[in-house]
Amino acid sequence: TASLIKRFQSQDKRRLLWIDSLKVADSVYYYPYKYRIQMNNTVSECSVIFRLAEQILIRAEARLNLGDVAGTRDDLNRIRKRAGLKDISTGDKDSLSVMIFKECRLEFFAEMGHRWMDLKRTNKADSILAKIKGTHWQTSDQLFPIPQSQIERAPNMHSSQNPGY
């Protein structure tokens, strides 16, 4: 999306190497270009399930929650350095939390629902998705349906379906 493109700094290698665009008439359409295997080609890339960058950003968040601001900055700078960005040298707990969330968004776009899981885990899904989806967004959209067979198997648990289903 255009809002994702705007989040990258101009010298960010992730923007330069992982996103391509196509111009049609007067419109520019961006698409992920992280994985370059085309149909009917020999596979030369591995499936990406869990990356080192994810481990580093998970640790940055854990360090921040433990009050290790210097360790958090070290982890963020490790990610930023690989992206060709300058180190950060300042930041309190709130600003570092915002930076971690931003780096996750930039690092993991188009990867296995990372953004969705981050939005849910940090309780930001409502505030962010309501702006994008407007009246089509409801808080219950975050929930999956409980299979009816599971509800029927546990009658003593007073199981009921999640709202919205």
Side-chain angles (χ1 to χ4, degrees):
T1 63
S3 70
L4 175 66
I5 299 297
K6 290 177 187 176
R7 302 255 188 251
F8 286 97
Q9 293 178 17
S10 60
Q11 68 275 22
D12 194 320
K13 290 179 185 177
R14 296 170 295 193
R15 164 64 180 98
L16 301 172
L17 299 173
W18 292 354
I19 298 174
D20 207 346
S21 62
L22 178 67
K23 187 170 183 173
V24 178
D26 292 332
S27 299
V28 176
Y29 299 94
Y30 297 98
Y31 59 92
Y33 196 61
K34 285 180 170 184
Y35 313 107
R36 292 170 172 81
I37 296 175
Q38 301 297 316
M39 298 295 281
N40 301 322
N41 286 346
T42 303
V43 175
S44 61
E45 296 175 340
C46 297
S47 294
V48 176
I49 303 296
F50 206 56
R51 296 199 288 123
L52 179 59
E54 183 176 5
Q55 289 293 289
I56 293 167
L57 288 167
I58 287 170
R59 184 175 66 181
E61 188 173 349
R63 283 178 162 176
L64 187 61
N65 287 330
L66 291 171
D68 182 0
V69 172
T72 301
R73 270 195 301 261
D74 289 345
D75 286 339
L76 282 169
N77 286 334
R78 188 168 174 190
I79 298 296
R80 293 174 57 81
K81 182 178 182 176
R82 196 195 83 245
L85 302 173
K86 293 180 181 176
D87 283 355
I88 55 170
S89 57
T90 60
D92 60 11
K93 189 172 182 176
D94 289 337
S95 65
L96 288 171
S97 179
V98 169
M99 286 184 218
I100 291 169
F101 194 68
K102 177 185 176 187
E103 289 302 324
C104 285
R105 182 175 184 196
L106 300 179
E107 187 71 26
F108 305 121
F109 74 90
E111 286 187 33
M112 299 181 73
H114 273 272
R115 176 119 168 109
W116 170 244
M117 297 309 279
D118 282 346
L119 289 172
K120 286 185 65 167
R121 181 177 53 77
T122 59
N123 294 317
K124 295 179 181 179
D126 276 337
S127 62
I128 291 176
L129 295 175
K131 292 175 191 172
I132 296 168
K133 297 189 175 274
T135 58
H136 297 289
W137 176 257
Q138 304 171 67
T139 297
S140 62
D141 291 345
Q142 297 179 64
L143 305 173
F144 288 113
I146 301 170
Q148 187 61 37
S149 62
Q150 296 302 309
I151 293 172
E152 291 169 359
R153 283 186 182 155
N156 293 331
M157 292 187 69
H158 304 289
S159 296
S160 61
Q161 189 54 266
N162 279 330
Y165 294 97

